[in-house]
């Protein structure tokens, strides 16, 4: 984990020309470097951060497309987080009152995207934000942070600082799509990263959602949760596929209220 953070830093601290070989705003590219990635998506403040993003295709990443400074570590880290995700899928299925294999059977966490973020010191942190407020749209996020603070979560109408991560600790976030599948049993949480004047912060977020072969598959609240034991619980959301869900997210932020059944 320390090595993953160190190689994230190593990439972002390369000379500009070397990083620019990976620069692209084309979200279909498996490996791309971008500055202020959400700038064109919606009317939000510019994010004071750079990101190296990996979208692992079905057949796995082509090693040659990964920057040499982080090739070995990133490949291993992707493998380990995939294993952890499989374990978490079992635990979360169980905790939601579903069969242990439910979330893996419905294939809602098969795709893996990794964002290696770098937040440089900001001369006027009160005028901007490291990462603007959002909920993660997929099912699950596994987040690794260095020892610099900045991440905040929304608790009612207050922003609360996440305590510094203990060494070796990961933060696991429920995303909007999992909230929909669990019919609000699990809640996605709004979060943001504040800009800092003197520290450089690195973090690595791995996101899991339905894979490309299931991007048009309809997902809705798990039937087992809305008809549990004969006690009828109303489904909160209508069925939706990932493409429609993400389209809404890109222009408007969290899609949950939009897909609510009235
Ligand atoms: O940098 C962080 O700690 C959070 C990043 C984040 O929220 C995201 O990539 O969705
Ligand atoms: Fe996030």
């Amino acid at each position: 984990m320390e090595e993953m953070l160190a190689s994230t830093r190593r990439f972002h601290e390369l000379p500009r020309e070397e990083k620019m070989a990976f620069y692209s705003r084309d979200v279909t590219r498996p490996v791309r470097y971008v500055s202020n990635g959400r700038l064109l998506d919606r009317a939000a403040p510019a994010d004071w951060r750079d990101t190296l993003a990996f979208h692992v295709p079905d057949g796995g990443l082509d090693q040659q497309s990964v920057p040499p400074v982080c090739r070995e570590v990133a490949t291993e880290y992707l493998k380990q987080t995939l294993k952890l995700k499989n374990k978490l899928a079992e635990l979360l299925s169980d905790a939601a009152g579903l069969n242990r294999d439910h979330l893996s059977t419905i294939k809602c966490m098969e795709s893996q995207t990794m964002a290696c973020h770098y937040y440089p010191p900001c001369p006027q942190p009160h005028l901007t934000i490291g990462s603007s407020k959002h909920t993660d749209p997929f099912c699950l996020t596994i987040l690794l942070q260095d020892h610099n603070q900045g991440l905040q979560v929304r608790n009612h109408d207050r922003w609360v600082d996440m305590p510094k991560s203990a060494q070796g600790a990961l933060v696991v976030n429920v995303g909007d799509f999992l909230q929909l599948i669990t019919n609000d049993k699990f809640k996605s949480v709004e979060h943001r990263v504040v800009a800092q004047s003197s520290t450089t912060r690195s973090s690595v977020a791995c996101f899991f959602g339905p894979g490309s072969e299931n991007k048009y598959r309809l997902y809705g609240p798990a039937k087992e949760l809305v008809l549990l034991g004969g006690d009828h619980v109303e489904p909160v959301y209508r069925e939706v596929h990932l493409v429609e869900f993400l389209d809404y997210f890109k222009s408007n932020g969290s899609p949950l209220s939009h897909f609510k059944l009235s």
Side-chain angles (χ1 to χ4, degrees), residues 110-121:
E110 300 290 289
S111 73
Q112 185 176 24
T113 298
M114 177 165 80
C116 304
H117 299 304
Y118 185 79
Y119 301 86

Side-chain angles (χ1 to χ4, degrees), residues 125-144:
H126 57 290
L127 294 182
T128 187
I129 188 92
S131 183
S132 45
K133 66 173 181 177
H134 65 284
T135 49
D136 293 342
F138 296 101
C139 281
L140 196 71
T141 309
I142 298 175
L143 177 71
L144 167 66

Side-chain angles (χ1 to χ4, degrees), residues 176-177 180 219-221 235-249 252-262:
D176 291 333
F177 215 60
L180 178 133
Y219 286 92
V236 180
Y237 304 99
R238 74 159 167 90
E239 291 193 322
V240 57
H241 55 60
L242 185 70
V243 173
E244 187 183 358
F245 200 75
L246 290 183
D247 277 351
Y248 188 91
F249 172 81
N252 305 287
S254 176
L256 284 172
S257 55
H258 182 71
F259 294 106
K260 264 195 173 152
L261 293 164
S262 47

